[in-house]
């Protein structure tokens, strides 16, 4: 078999040069595909995003006892449905500080955030911690035919929140 000559500048044979070139091109293509996929996943183009909203059934009313806040979801957004004085209220369970999920503390009647010690009272108003000045986002809530229904509030009510939070609330989880 004939021995290939080394290129004096690169010190590669022609075959090795082509193999390396093909490998580099494949690597770049793969990186492009993976990177593009990740970008599209985290920042989907507007035409692929589905805006959410409107009334949704989230819980049977019988599963929302007085003085308790029960967890549910609205288009993938974790929410808490609280019954007080016979009436239901609903809040986003997403802490507006950095997105941890708040829980209901029935004894203290507030919503503590497990991450950085913020807490919110039963009206969803921030009482302390780095979530200030943001309150838990209230949903509209009502009962109909034995079900609790919630709806996103009017868009103006979202304006007070940070942009990542508004995005999550408008496009769901
Ligand atoms: Fe809730 Fe930081 S995420 S206080």
């Amino acid at each position: 078999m004939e021995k290939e000559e080394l290129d004096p500048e690169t010190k590669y044979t022609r075959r090795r040069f082509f193999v390396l070139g093909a490998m580099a091109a494949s690597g770049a293509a793969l990186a492009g595909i993976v990177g593009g996929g990740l970008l599209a996943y985290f920042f989907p183009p507007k035409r692929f995003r589905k805006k959410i909203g409107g009334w949704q059934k989230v819980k049977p009313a019988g599963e929302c006892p007085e003085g308790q806040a029960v967890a549910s979801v609205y288009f993938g957004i974790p929410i808490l449905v609280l019954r007080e004085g016979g009436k239901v209220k609903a809040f986003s369970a997403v802490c507006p500080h950095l997105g941890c999920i708040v829980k209901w503390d029935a004894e203290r009647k507030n919503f503590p955030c497990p991450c950085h010690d913020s807490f919110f009272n039963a009206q969803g108003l921030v009482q302390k911690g780095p979530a200030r000045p943001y309150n838990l986002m209230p949903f509209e809530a009502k009962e109909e035919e034995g079900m609790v229904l919630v709806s996103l509030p009017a868009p103006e009510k979202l304006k007070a929140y940070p942009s990542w939070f508004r995005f999550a609330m408008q496009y769901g989880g």
Side-chain angles (χ1 to χ4, degrees):
M1 196 166 122
E2 196 177 308
K3 196 169 178 200
E4 285 190 68
E5 275 180 39
L6 285 180
D7 181 301
E9 274 184 30
T10 62
K11 307 285 184 228
Y12 289 136
T13 63
R14 185 179 293 212
R15 180 182 304 159
R16 187 162 167 75
F17 183 78
F18 281 123
V19 168
L20 285 175
M23 283 170 64
S26 311
L30 189 65
I33 290 167
V34 172
L38 284 174
L39 270 179
Y41 180 79
F42 288 111
F43 305 100
K46 230 176 183 168
R47 66 183 185 280
F48 293 126
R49 293 184 214 140
K50 196 170 164 251
K51 264 211 166 194
I52 62 169
W55 290 99
Q56 278 281 309
K57 292 176 184 166
V58 293
K59 221 41 170 176
E63 292 179 18
C64 302
E66 179 66 29
Q68 296 295 326
V70 294
S72 188
V73 285
Y74 176 88
F75 289 102
I77 300 169
I79 62 168
L80 287 158
V81 179
L82 171 66
R83 187 184 292 281
E84 271 204 328
K87 292 199 168 160
V88 287
K89 309 178 208 173
F91 301 97
S92 156
V94 180
C95 178
H97 176 224
L98 290 176
C100 291
I101 302 301
V102 302
K103 302 263 187 279
W104 172 243
D105 182 335
E107 215 167 277
R108 295 191 173 88
K109 296 200 177 310
N110 65 31
F111 298 95
C113 177
C115 292
H116 312 106
D117 239 6
S118 289
F119 75 84
F120 308 83
N121 68 12
Q123 284 70 48
L125 304 176
V126 65
Q127 302 298 295
K128 81 168 203 158
R132 277 185 296 198
Y134 303 117
N135 301 319
L136 289 184
M137 195 195 75
F139 279 75
E140 293 179 42
K142 65 181 179 183
E143 283 181 72
E144 252 176 37
E145 297 169 0
M147 293 296 294
V148 175
L149 288 84
V150 306
S151 176
L152 268 184
E156 311 84 76
K157 296 217 171 140
L158 283 172
K159 279 188 187 153
Y161 289 91
S163 54
W164 69 266
F165 185 88
R166 286 200 313 268
F167 184 92
M169 294 301 134
Q170 286 174 314
Y171 296 104

